[in-house]
């Protein structure tokens, strides 16, 4: 059964190519239309495993489509609409908070980062509450920067063209919820995606600005290109409303994580060794590897603000993935938490 599910997931993933913007040749695209799986013993359990694997593979591919869509066609509003459509199809509740509602919640991080863009922010709330009544949910948070220029701290030419993928954490969360709903998982799961576009303009937030977050804590902006942690600070505060038993955030947060671990693993930060071990086990099972990094109070000195509570960049060029994680930790203290960079 396990092999059957694994086969189905990987057949779906292998049969993916992002061709939305390509003109097809006369022969068309080469996609496999049918796969037959044989087993020594025909059983409903094997058939169910194949069906489950197919769903998981399909939702992974849908997340890939969202992530690969260019920034001009994937704005905060369009990402929110994609979430709403997934909810309608898969069967989960979606609530979209527009700029006026974000202002009422005093999400100064989300509002600050989005100031430079003509595209208004959205805060996407997805609820799949099929577990026991009163059971505390798991909250998933995904970074949703639909295009990241770096703001006034503009990114270099060689990397900026890929920055439509800075919302891939958000895409993952949307389609994790969709997969769980389609699989009929009996759990309480909430997904949160703060969606913004980070642009340089006359109205952009500046290095040196002080942003007051939903928590009331202030962020001293040292670098406008460290914007993901700013919007996640508001999202993590919002997550507390659900009294969660666990919060997991997924974010393309730092180049430092890639510098440390290369392209084969994501950096993992967790508030307990038990959580760390669990996540490493899940990663080994799925082949989506993670590697643990330190989440120690000693690093808090590196993100103390001079004029505000916390600075959004470390005081040195060292340990960037760690200082980013420790920054986020300040907004989710006393809650079991996992951060995947």
């Amino acid at each position: 059964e396990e092999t059957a599910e694994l086969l189905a997931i990987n057949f779906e993933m292998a049969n993916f190519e992002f061709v939305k913007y390509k003109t097809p040749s006369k022969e068309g695209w080469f996609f496999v239309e049918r796969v037959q799986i044989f087993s020594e013993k025909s059983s409903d359990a094997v058939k169910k495993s194949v069906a489950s694997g197919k769903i998981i593979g399909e939702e992974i591919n849908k997340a890939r489509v969202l992530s690969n869509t260019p920034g001009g066609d994937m704005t905060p509003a369009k990402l929110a609409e994609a979430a709403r459509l997934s909810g309608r199809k898969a069967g989960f509740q979606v609530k979209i908070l527009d700029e006026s509602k974000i202002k009422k919640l005093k999400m100064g991080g989300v509002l600050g980062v989005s100031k430079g863009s003509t595209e208004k922010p959205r805060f996407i709330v997805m609820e799949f509450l099929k577990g026991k009544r009163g059971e505390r949910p798991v909250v998933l948070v995904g970074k949703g920067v639909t295009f990241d220029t770096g703001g006034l701290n503009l990114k270099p030419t060689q990397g900026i063209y890929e920055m439509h993928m800075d919302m891939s954490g958000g895409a993952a969360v949307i389609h994790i919820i969709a997969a769980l709903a389609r699989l009929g998982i009996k759990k309480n799961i909430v997904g949160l995606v703060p969606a913004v576009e980070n642009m340089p303009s006359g109205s952009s937030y500046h290095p040196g600005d002080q942003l007051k977050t939903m928590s009331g804590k202030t962020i001293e902006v040292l670098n406008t290109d460290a914007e993901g942690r700013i919007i996640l600070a508001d999202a993590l505060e919002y997550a507390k409303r659900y009294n969660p038993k666990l919060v997991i955030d997924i974010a393309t947060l730092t180049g430092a994580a890639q510098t440390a671990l290369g392209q084969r693993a994501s950096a993992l930060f967790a508030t307990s060794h038990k959580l760390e071990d669990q996540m490493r086990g899940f990663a080994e099972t799925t082949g989506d590897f993670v590697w643990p990094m330190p989440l120690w109070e000693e690093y808090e000195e590196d993100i103390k603000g001079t004029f505000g509570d916390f600075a959004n960049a470390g005081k040195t060029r060292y340990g960037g993935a760690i200082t980013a994680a420790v920054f986020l930790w300040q907004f989710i203290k006393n809650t079991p938490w996992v951060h995947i960079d």
Side-chain angles (χ1 to χ4, degrees), residues 151-162:
L152 295 180
N153 293 110
L154 194 67
K155 287 183 179 290
T157 303
Q158 62 267 30
I160 197 168
Y161 78 97
E162 290 186 315

Side-chain angles (χ1 to χ4, degrees), residues 2-259:
E2 189 178 323
T3 304
E5 183 178 89
L6 197 61
L7 280 170
I9 292 170
N10 283 280
F11 280 136
E12 286 292 339
M13 289 176 66
N15 204 32
F16 175 84
E17 187 180 349
F18 188 65
V19 296
K20 182 178 176 181
Y21 294 90
K22 290 183 177 180
T23 303
S25 64
K26 289 179 182 178
E27 296 79 27
W29 306 114
F30 179 77
F31 289 113
V32 177
E33 292 182 358
R34 181 173 176 173
V35 174
Q36 285 183 291
I37 298 176
F38 296 87
S39 107
E40 287 184 349
K41 294 180 181 178
S42 180
S43 72
D44 289 339
V46 170
K47 288 178 183 176
K48 188 178 177 182
S49 294
V50 170
S52 296
K54 192 170 186 296
I55 288 169
I56 294 166
E58 286 171 351
E59 294 302 331
I60 289 169
N61 286 345
K62 288 175 184 176
R64 292 159 113 182
V65 168
L66 286 185
S67 298
N68 278 291
T69 300
D73 291 339
M74 185 50 62
T75 62
K78 288 180 179 177
L79 183 62
E81 191 52 40
R84 198 192 299 278
L85 184 62
S86 286
R88 203 155 47 232
K89 287 182 176 178
F92 59 89
Q93 297 295 315
V94 180
K95 181 168 61 174
I96 308 299
L97 308 183
D98 62 14
E99 188 178 36
S100 64
K101 289 173 182 171
I102 293 169
K103 283 179 179 176
K104 281 184 181 177
L105 288 168
K106 299 181 179 178
M107 290 185 171
V110 172
L111 293 168
V113 173
S114 66
K115 273 176 65 179
S117 176
T118 55
E119 298 293 341
K120 301 303 180 186
R122 297 290 187 273
F123 193 85
I124 305 165
V125 181
M126 297 164 284
E127 296 179 343
F128 180 68
L129 305 175
K130 298 295 183 180
K132 294 175 184 174
R133 180 176 286 187
E135 185 178 56
R136 294 165 69 197
V138 172
V139 178
L140 307 176
V141 180
K143 177 183 170 184
V145 180
T146 59
F147 196 84
D148 180 21
T149 64
L152 295 180
N153 293 110
L154 194 67
K155 287 183 179 290
T157 303
Q158 62 267 30
I160 197 168
Y161 78 97
E162 290 186 315
M163 286 301 111
H164 60 281
M165 297 192 77
D166 214 15
M167 41 59 69
S168 55
V173 167
I174 291 168
H175 289 290
I176 288 168
I177 304 284
L180 293 170
R182 291 179 65 193
L183 291 167
I185 302 299
K186 301 299 181 187
K187 295 287 181 183
N188 293 329
I189 314 287
V190 174
L192 305 175
V193 180
V196 300
E197 190 177 66
N198 186 23
M199 298 290 279
S201 74
S203 61
S204 294
Y205 76 131
H206 316 78
D209 280 357
Q210 304 288 336
L211 303 178
K212 191 170 185 179
T213 63
M214 185 182 175
S215 68
K217 297 168 185 172
T218 55
I219 296 172
E220 185 172 340
V221 179
L222 299 186
N223 190 322
T224 61
D225 192 24
E227 84 299 327
R229 66 199 73 180
I230 295 175
I231 65 171
L232 288 174
D234 280 333
L236 292 173
E237 183 63 30
Y238 191 93
K240 294 178 189 173
R241 291 182 157 208
Y242 291 93
N243 187 26
K245 63 181 177 183
L246 174 64
V247 176
I248 303 172
D249 78 66
I250 308 163
T252 48
L253 205 65
T254 69
Q258 202 170 12
T259 300

